Coordinates of all heavy atoms in Angstrom, one line a residue:
S1 N 238.7 13.5 -70.0 CA 237.9 13.0 -68.9 C 238.7 11.9 -68.1 O 238.5 11.9 -66.9 CB 236.5 12.6 -69.4 OG 235.8 13.6 -70.1
A2 N 239.2 11.1 -68.8 CA 240.0 10.0 -68.2 C 241.2 10.5 -67.4 O 241.4 10.0 -66.2 CB 240.4 9.0 -69.2
I3 N 241.9 11.4 -67.9 CA 243.1 12.0 -67.2 C 242.6 12.8 -66.1 O 243.2 12.8 -64.9 CB 243.8 12.9 -68.2 CG1 244.5 12.0 -69.2 CG2 244.9 13.6 -67.4 CD1 245.5 11.0 -68.7
V4 N 241.5 13.6 -66.2 CA 241.0 14.3 -65.0 C 240.6 13.4 -63.9 O 240.9 13.6 -62.7 CB 239.9 15.3 -65.4 CG1 239.2 16.0 -64.2 CG2 240.4 16.4 -66.4
F5 N 239.8 12.4 -64.2 CA 239.4 11.4 -63.2 C 240.5 10.8 -62.5 O 240.6 10.6 -61.3 CB 238.5 10.4 -63.8 CG 238.0 9.3 -62.8 CD1 236.9 9.6 -62.1 CD2 238.7 8.1 -62.7 CE1 236.5 8.5 -61.2 CE2 238.3 7.2 -61.8 CZ 237.2 7.4 -61.1
N6 N 241.5 10.4 -63.4 CA 242.7 9.7 -62.8 C 243.5 10.6 -61.8 O 244.0 10.1 -60.9 CB 243.6 9.4 -64.1 CG 244.8 8.4 -63.6 OD1 244.5 7.3 -63.3 ND2 245.9 8.9 -63.7
A7 N 243.4 12.0 -62.0 CA 244.0 12.8 -61.0 C 243.2 13.0 -59.8 O 243.6 13.0 -58.6 CB 244.4 14.1 -61.7
L8 N 241.8 13.3 -60.1 CA 240.9 13.7 -58.9 C 240.7 12.5 -57.9 O 240.5 12.8 -56.8 CB 239.6 14.2 -59.4 CG 239.6 15.5 -60.2 CD1 238.2 15.8 -60.7 CD2 240.2 16.6 -59.3
I9 N 240.8 11.3 -58.4 CA 240.5 10.2 -57.5 C 241.5 10.1 -56.4 O 241.3 9.6 -55.4 CB 240.4 8.8 -58.4 CG1 239.7 7.7 -57.5 CG2 241.8 8.4 -58.8 CD1 238.3 8.1 -57.2
I10 N 242.7 10.5 -56.7 CA 243.8 10.5 -55.6 C 243.5 11.2 -54.5 O 243.4 10.7 -53.2 CB 245.1 10.9 -56.3 CG1 245.6 9.9 -57.4 CG2 246.2 11.1 -55.1 CD1 246.8 10.4 -58.2
P11 N 243.2 12.6 -54.5 CA 242.8 13.4 -53.3 C 241.6 12.9 -52.6 O 241.4 13.0 -51.5 CB 242.8 14.8 -53.8 CG 242.5 14.7 -55.2 CD 243.2 13.6 -55.6
L12 N 240.6 12.3 -53.4 CA 239.4 11.8 -52.9 C 239.6 10.5 -52.1 O 238.9 10.3 -51.0 CB 238.4 11.5 -54.0 CG 237.8 12.6 -54.8 CD1 236.9 12.2 -55.9 CD2 237.0 13.6 -53.9
L13 N 240.8 9.9 -52.4 CA 241.0 8.7 -51.6 C 242.0 8.8 -50.4 O 242.3 8.0 -49.6 CB 241.6 7.5 -52.5 CG 240.6 6.9 -53.5 CD1 241.2 6.0 -54.4 CD2 239.4 6.2 -52.7
V14 N 242.5 10.1 -50.3 CA 243.5 10.4 -49.3 C 243.0 10.2 -47.9 O 243.6 9.6 -47.1 CB 244.1 11.8 -49.5 CG1 244.9 12.3 -48.2 CG2 245.1 11.9 -50.6
P15 N 241.8 10.7 -47.6 CA 241.3 10.4 -46.2 C 241.1 8.9 -45.9 O 241.5 8.4 -44.8 CB 239.9 11.1 -46.2 CG 240.0 12.2 -47.3 CD 240.9 11.6 -48.3
L16 N 240.8 8.1 -46.9 CA 240.6 6.6 -46.7 C 242.0 6.1 -46.5 O 242.2 5.2 -45.6 CB 240.0 6.0 -47.8 CG 239.8 4.5 -47.8 CD1 238.9 4.1 -46.5 CD2 239.2 4.0 -49.1
A17 N 243.0 6.5 -47.3 CA 244.3 5.9 -47.1 C 245.0 6.3 -45.7 O 245.6 5.5 -45.2 CB 245.2 6.5 -48.3
L18 N 244.7 7.5 -45.2 CA 245.3 7.8 -44.0 C 244.5 7.4 -42.8 O 245.1 7.1 -41.7 CB 245.4 9.4 -43.9 CG 246.3 10.1 -44.9 CD1 246.4 11.5 -44.6 CD2 247.6 9.4 -45.0
R19 N 243.1 7.2 -42.9 CA 242.4 6.7 -41.8 C 242.4 5.2 -41.8 O 242.4 4.6 -40.8 CB 240.9 7.2 -42.1 CG 239.9 6.8 -40.9 CD 238.6 7.4 -41.1 NE 237.9 6.7 -42.3 CZ 237.6 7.4 -43.4 NH1 238.0 8.6 -43.5 NH2 237.1 6.8 -44.4
G20 N 242.5 4.7 -43.0 CA 242.5 3.2 -43.1 C 241.1 2.6 -43.4 O 240.1 3.1 -42.9
V21 N 241.1 1.5 -44.1 CA 239.9 0.7 -44.3 C 239.5 0.1 -43.0 O 240.3 -0.4 -42.3 CB 240.0 -0.4 -45.4 CG1 238.9 -1.2 -45.5 CG2 240.5 0.4 -46.7
R22 N 238.3 0.3 -42.7 CA 237.8 -0.4 -41.4 C 237.9 -1.9 -41.4 O 237.7 -2.5 -42.3 CB 236.2 -0.1 -41.3 CG 235.6 -0.5 -39.9 CD 234.1 -0.3 -40.0 NE 233.6 -0.8 -38.7 CZ 232.3 -0.9 -38.4 NH1 231.4 -0.4 -39.3 NH2 231.9 -1.4 -37.3
Y23 N 238.6 -2.2 -40.3 CA 238.9 -3.7 -40.1 C 237.8 -4.4 -39.4 O 237.4 -3.9 -38.3 CB 240.3 -3.9 -39.4 CG 240.5 -5.3 -39.2 CD1 240.8 -6.2 -40.2 CD2 240.5 -5.8 -37.9 CE1 241.1 -7.5 -40.0 CE2 240.8 -7.2 -37.6 CZ 241.0 -8.0 -38.7 OH 241.3 -9.3 -38.4
R24 N 237.4 -5.5 -39.9 CA 236.5 -6.4 -39.2 C 237.1 -7.8 -38.9 O 237.9 -8.3 -39.8 CB 235.2 -6.6 -40.0 CG 234.5 -5.3 -40.1 CD 233.1 -5.5 -40.9 NE 232.4 -4.2 -41.1 CZ 231.3 -4.1 -41.8 NH1 230.9 -5.1 -42.5 NH2 230.7 -2.9 -42.0
A25 N 236.8 -8.4 -37.8 CA 237.5 -9.6 -37.4 C 236.8 -10.8 -38.2 O 235.9 -11.5 -37.7 CB 237.4 -9.9 -35.9
L26 N 237.2 -10.9 -39.5 CA 236.6 -11.9 -40.3 C 237.7 -12.8 -40.8 O 238.9 -12.5 -40.7 CB 235.9 -11.3 -41.5 CG 234.7 -10.3 -41.3 CD1 234.3 -9.7 -42.5 CD2 233.6 -11.0 -40.6
G27 N 237.4 -14.0 -41.3 CA 238.3 -14.9 -41.8 C 238.9 -14.4 -43.2 O 238.4 -13.4 -43.8
A28 N 240.0 -14.9 -43.6 CA 240.7 -14.5 -44.8 C 239.8 -14.6 -46.0 O 239.8 -13.6 -46.8 CB 242.0 -15.3 -45.0
T29 N 239.0 -15.6 -46.2 CA 238.2 -15.8 -47.3 C 237.1 -14.7 -47.4 O 236.8 -14.0 -48.4 CB 237.6 -17.2 -47.3 OG1 238.6 -18.2 -47.2 CG2 236.7 -17.4 -48.6
A30 N 236.6 -14.5 -46.1 CA 235.4 -13.4 -46.1 C 235.9 -12.1 -46.4 O 235.3 -11.3 -46.9 CB 234.8 -13.6 -44.7
L31 N 237.2 -11.8 -45.8 CA 237.8 -10.5 -46.1 C 238.0 -10.3 -47.6 O 237.8 -9.2 -48.2 CB 239.1 -10.3 -45.3 CG 238.9 -9.9 -43.8 CD1 240.3 -10.0 -43.1 CD2 238.3 -8.6 -43.6
L32 N 238.6 -11.3 -48.2 CA 238.9 -11.2 -49.6 C 237.6 -11.0 -50.4 O 237.6 -10.1 -51.4 CB 239.6 -12.5 -50.1 CG 239.9 -12.6 -51.6 CD1 240.9 -11.5 -52.0 CD2 240.5 -13.9 -51.9
R33 N 236.6 -11.7 -50.1 CA 235.3 -11.6 -50.9 C 234.8 -10.2 -50.7 O 234.2 -9.6 -51.6 CB 234.4 -12.6 -50.3 CG 233.0 -12.7 -51.1 CD 232.0 -13.6 -50.4 NE 232.6 -15.0 -50.2 CZ 232.7 -15.4 -49.0 NH1 232.4 -14.7 -47.9 NH2 233.2 -16.7 -48.8

């Protein structure tokens, strides 16, 4: 189960990796939080 999840999470995150995390004009502390 751990190995299967480890593999499947990669294609599930591909759209996010290519589209990018939505950026908001916040300060560094707020972004980190």
